[in-house]
Amino acid sequence: MPHLHIDVFQPLQLPAREGEVVFGFIATSRGEGGESLISTRFKGREFFILHKKSGEKHLLKSDKITRPSPNFLVKHALLAYAKHSHATIIDSNVDNASENVHLKTHDALKSVDYFASDFPTGREIRLEVGFGSARHLLHQASTNPDVLFIALEIHKPSIEQALKQITIQNLNNIMILDYDARLFLEFVPSNTLSRIYVHFPVPWDKKPHRRVIGDTFVTEAIRTLAPQGRLELRTDSENYYRFALETYSHPPHVSFEVRKNQEIAVTSKYEDRWKKMEKNIYDVTLINDLISPEKKLEGDFSFTQSSINDGILPTLERQTFRRDWGFLNAEASFMIGEGGWMLRLAMGSFDRPEHLYLIVQNGKARYFPTQPVRSSANLSAHILLNELLNG
Ligand SMILES: C[S@@+](CC[C@H](N)C(=O)[O-])C[C@H]1O[C@@H](n2cnc3c(N)ncnc32)[C@H](O)[C@@H]1O
């Protein structure tokens, strides 16, 4: 995670600009530890830089919830803050590398809004979950130029590596998204995908609820797969293989195939490693046989009140509201410099919570850095939040 230590933390006169980086406002935590968050806008992305006192020094790093991809954005913003505030950098892991040219010249990296507002249509679409080294993704995309590959990964260095290869190989049929696959399927229209690849997912043997494959994921996979579409799990983990078989056997209108030690055209880094250790490799494939109705979601994320009393926000701090659809939790509250309050929220479904901020200034509320993903649990959490803000 990019970070730097500076000698003195100078709050800036805000808003402030250093080159292309704009700092908007500062929000200070009311809790112990005294962290503050500086809103930052750079290259069309909004995120927070986090400041914390660390012994005699001051730590600047990116806030986990709003951290943008690629890392270059954070690195550049951290250096811009240090420069604008005339701070001396004591130590850092931030290089002054310029923007990765592959990210500049290629538009394969998409944001979730891209899919939420206008999901691509008109050609065969396959999804790859957790592409890692991207060997399988790149191989599939280059051998199937008419197919569009939507590729999800939450590990930022893997995303940067994949983008680099996409540019070098000049592939134009891959869309990369930095997003949790378990959340993403909600945006996919019904009966759309021909394949979903989940190759060598993290086994999470001690925390099975964190696995990509689970009841909700499989239900959503069946909805989004076209008839005869396939959800392909490849794993070296016997536990995961058994768990997937069990999970696939619940829903009706599906069949499944199991294969052991099947050779495929391209092997991943993980597969090479397991093969050297002579581990078995399992393929567990679910085949959908259903035409699913279109998913309809009512509502949006607007706030209905004409003027919100921002004093209500700190009273919600550390409160959790549990409901049938999921929950809403106000983790921490922050005061905003020029007036206003902010809450750090976790909301939505228990196994796929959304983490973001709510800002109330001048009686108006907004989510930061973007609205929640338009899922049914998030819409329910928003209705509850709206009611709470009404007092
Ligand atoms: C063990 S690696 C396997 C990578 C690659 N598929 C291969 O076969 O080499 C699992 C990858 O899944 C990613 N991952 C884990 N959970 C994920 C999720 N919920 N959504 C998207 N990617 C995820 C991890 O970041 C990691 O890169």
Side-chain angles (χ1 to χ4, degrees), residues 160-338:
E160 294 194 17
Q161 277 311 309
L163 288 169
K164 188 171 171 183
Q165 284 306 319
I166 290 169
T167 310
I168 291 169
Q169 298 183 29
N170 199 19
L171 295 169
N172 57 17
N173 58 337
I174 300 181
M175 291 180 179
I176 300 268
L177 182 59
D178 177 0
Y179 209 72
D180 188 321
R182 296 170 303 167
L183 279 170
F184 180 72
L185 283 184
E186 293 215 33
F187 301 106
V188 182
S190 300
N191 317 302
T192 298
L193 307 172
S194 66
R195 303 265 170 103
I196 303 173
Y197 301 106
V198 185
H199 283 189
F200 300 95
V202 185
W204 288 117
D205 282 339
K206 292 198 178 131
K207 294 181 181 167
H209 66 279
R210 295 189 70 172
R211 288 176 177 152
V212 169
I213 304 264
D215 285 332
T216 316
F217 184 82
V218 169
T219 306
E220 278 294 89
I222 293 169
R223 183 186 65 76
T224 53
L225 282 170
Q228 301 313 306
R230 298 160 72 88
L231 165 58
E232 299 190 358
L233 168 71
R234 191 165 169 85
T235 180
D236 58 289
S237 156
E238 193 150 342
N239 270 345
Y240 211 128
Y241 142 75
R242 290 188 191 288
F243 172 80
L245 263 188
E246 164 75 17
T247 312
Y248 289 3
S249 63
H250 298 160
H253 306 293
V254 297
S255 52
F256 43 90
E257 292 170 356
V258 180
R259 297 218 164 78
K260 194 167 156 182
N261 296 329
Q262 179 182 231
E263 294 292 334
I264 56 171
V266 62
T267 56
S268 79
K269 222 169 60 184
Y270 285 89
E271 183 157 350
D272 287 346
R273 191 187 300 165
W274 306 139
K275 277 190 170 155
K276 262 187 211 142
M277 292 164 70
E278 299 191 340
K279 281 181 92 174
N280 288 321
I281 309 281
Y282 302 92
D283 284 287
V284 197
T285 302
L286 174 149
I287 302 139
N288 173 44
D289 190 26
L290 199 66
I291 299 180
S292 300
E294 212 36 81
K295 189 169 174 156
K296 284 205 183 84
L297 275 184
E298 303 292 340
D300 61 27
F301 291 107
S302 54
F303 290 93
T304 49
Q305 307 85 323
S306 52
S307 180
I308 297 166
N309 171 9
D310 63 10
I312 193 106
L313 264 68
T315 67
L316 300 175
E317 185 171 16
R318 291 206 202 97
Q319 290 205 54
T320 304
F321 304 87
R322 289 167 207 275
R323 299 290 185 269
D324 291 346
W325 44 258
F327 75 110
L328 173 72
N329 171 228
E331 290 176 351
S333 68
F334 298 79
M335 283 173 73
I336 295 181
E338 334 72 72

Side-chain angles (χ1 to χ4, degrees), residues 28-277:
T28 310
S29 162
R30 296 197 327 139
E32 284 163 25
E35 65 182 43
S36 46
L37 297 168
I38 303 137
S39 81
T40 306
R41 179 185 283 277
F42 181 38
K43 294 202 179 284
R45 304 290 298 271
E46 274 198 294
F47 53 96
F48 280 130
I49 289 179
L50 184 148
H51 159 255
K52 219 176 181 173
K53 187 133 187 3
S54 152
E56 291 304 301
K57 306 184 276 193
H58 293 263
L59 172 68
L60 290 182
K61 63 176 186 174
S62 77
D63 162 57
K64 262 197 206 142
I65 293 181
T66 57
R67 184 175 160 205
S69 182
N71 262 340
F72 157 79
L73 298 173
V74 179
K75 292 180 185 175
H76 195 86
L78 292 176
L79 292 172
Y81 194 93
K83 182 171 179 203
H84 201 86
S85 62
H86 305 292
T88 302
I89 298 174
I90 299 172
D91 56 74
S92 108
N93 68 353
V94 174
D95 56 42
N96 204 359
S98 54
E99 186 173 8
N100 183 336
V101 62
H102 303 296
L103 304 181
K104 259 191 190 159
T105 55
H106 213 286
D107 69 347
L109 184 64
K110 301 292 180 205
S111 74
V112 74
D113 297 342
Y114 178 90
F115 297 98
S117 54
D118 198 9
F119 201 90
T121 52
R123 55 177 164 162
E124 183 184 339
I125 301 178
R126 301 188 197 173
L127 194 76
E128 174 144 0
V129 173
F131 54 78
S133 63
R135 281 195 209 169
H136 178 259
L137 173 68
L138 296 163
H139 168 79
Q140 287 287 353
S142 59
T143 47
N144 298 285
D146 296 335
V147 176
L148 172 64
F149 289 83
I150 299 174
L152 306 174
E153 182 50 76
I154 51 176
H155 181 239
K156 294 178 195 321
S158 299
I159 292 177
E160 294 194 17
Q161 277 311 309
L163 288 169
K164 188 171 171 183
Q165 284 306 319
I166 290 169
T167 310
I168 291 169
Q169 298 183 29
N170 199 19
L171 295 169
N172 57 17
N173 58 337
I174 300 181
M175 291 180 179
I176 300 268
L177 182 59
D178 177 0
Y179 209 72
D180 188 321
R182 296 170 303 167
L183 279 170
F184 180 72
L185 283 184
E186 293 215 33
F187 301 106
V188 182
S190 300
N191 317 302
T192 298
L193 307 172
S194 66
R195 303 265 170 103
I196 303 173
Y197 301 106
V198 185
H199 283 189
F200 300 95
V202 185
W204 288 117
D205 282 339
K206 292 198 178 131
K207 294 181 181 167
H209 66 279
R210 295 189 70 172
R211 288 176 177 152
V212 169
I213 304 264
D215 285 332
T216 316
F217 184 82
V218 169
T219 306
E220 278 294 89
I222 293 169
R223 183 186 65 76
T224 53
L225 282 170
Q228 301 313 306
R230 298 160 72 88
L231 165 58
E232 299 190 358
L233 168 71
R234 191 165 169 85
T235 180
D236 58 289
S237 156
E238 193 150 342
N239 270 345
Y240 211 128
Y241 142 75
R242 290 188 191 288
F243 172 80
L245 263 188
E246 164 75 17
T247 312
Y248 289 3
S249 63
H250 298 160
H253 306 293
V254 297
S255 52
F256 43 90
E257 292 170 356
V258 180
R259 297 218 164 78
K260 194 167 156 182
N261 296 329
Q262 179 182 231
E263 294 292 334
I264 56 171
V266 62
T267 56
S268 79
K269 222 169 60 184
Y270 285 89
E271 183 157 350
D272 287 346
R273 191 187 300 165
W274 306 139
K275 277 190 170 155
K276 262 187 211 142
M277 292 164 70

